[in-house]
């Protein structure tokens, strides 16, 4: 696995929006051998949760906690993975990470099985 770098974290108010990006210099999603990619977050109390995943064909999967509010997408031309976060809540605060994954399901059901979550970016949602 190739450790990836998440960016775009910021402080926002409840109800706001934020887009995170994920990539690495020299990394190309189109030619990567990974079957899927995902976003994980670690909350302010240390809890880890896989929240969104996308496979090579563009099929997506979301945790119930973010379904309908977050959107994962992959731009092969810009070699970037995105996470669009809408209607943010204080409980969305934490460190956000991205990574390659063997498939979309493990990202949500067993995020610790994804070996390297790379470098994270911090999101703070204030009420």
């Amino acid at each position: 696995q190739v450790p990836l770098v998440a960016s775009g974290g910021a402080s926002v108010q409840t109800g706001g929006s934020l887009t995170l990006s994920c990539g690495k210099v020299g990394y190309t999603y189109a030619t990567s051998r990974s079957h899927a990619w995902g976003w994980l977050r670690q909350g302010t109390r240390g809890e880890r949760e896989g929240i969104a995943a996308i496979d090579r064909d563009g099929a997506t999967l979301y945790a119930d906690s973010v379904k309908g509010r977050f959107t994962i997408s992959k731009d092969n031309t810009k070699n970037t993975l995105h996470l669009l976060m809408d209607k943010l809540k204080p409980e969305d605060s934490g460190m956000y990470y991205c990574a390659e994954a063997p498939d979309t399901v493990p990202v949500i059901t067993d995020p610790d099985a994804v070996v390297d979550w790379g470098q994270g970016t911090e999101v703070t949602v204030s009420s």
Side-chain angles (χ1 to χ4, degrees), residues 51-116:
I51 57 174
I54 187 168
D55 70 13
R56 297 193 69 88
D57 296 326
T60 58
L61 191 64
Y62 297 93
D64 288 342
S65 59
V66 305
K67 197 174 295 181
R69 300 188 299 122
F70 290 12
T71 303
I72 186 172
S73 62
K74 180 167 56 69
D75 187 336
N76 287 339
T77 59
K78 296 182 179 179
N79 294 318
T80 305
L81 183 73
H82 293 292
L83 183 69
L84 170 61
M85 304 186 293
D86 289 325
K87 302 176 184 177
L88 283 163
K89 306 174 183 179
E91 51 264 44
D92 293 319
S93 297
M95 288 294 293
Y96 282 70
Y97 303 84
C98 57
E100 297 179 326
D103 203 344
T104 55
V105 173
V107 173
I108 307 301
T109 61
D110 189 12
D112 289 331
V114 178
V115 177
D116 194 335

Side-chain angles (χ1 to χ4, degrees), residues 38-42 48-52 95-98 111 117:
W39 287 94
L40 165 82
R41 66 185 177 190
Q42 184 161 12
R48 290 163 62 93
E49 179 185 19
I51 57 174
M95 288 294 293
Y96 282 70
Y97 303 84
C98 57
W117 285 95

Side-chain angles (χ1 to χ4, degrees), residues 9-27:
S11 295
V12 297
Q13 292 191 326
T14 297
S17 299
L18 195 62
T19 298
L20 304 183
S21 299
C22 173
K24 188 174 184 178
V25 174
Y27 185 83

Side-chain angles (χ1 to χ4, degrees), residues 29 35 45 52 120:
Y29 285 93
H35 292 289
R45 284 175 283 187

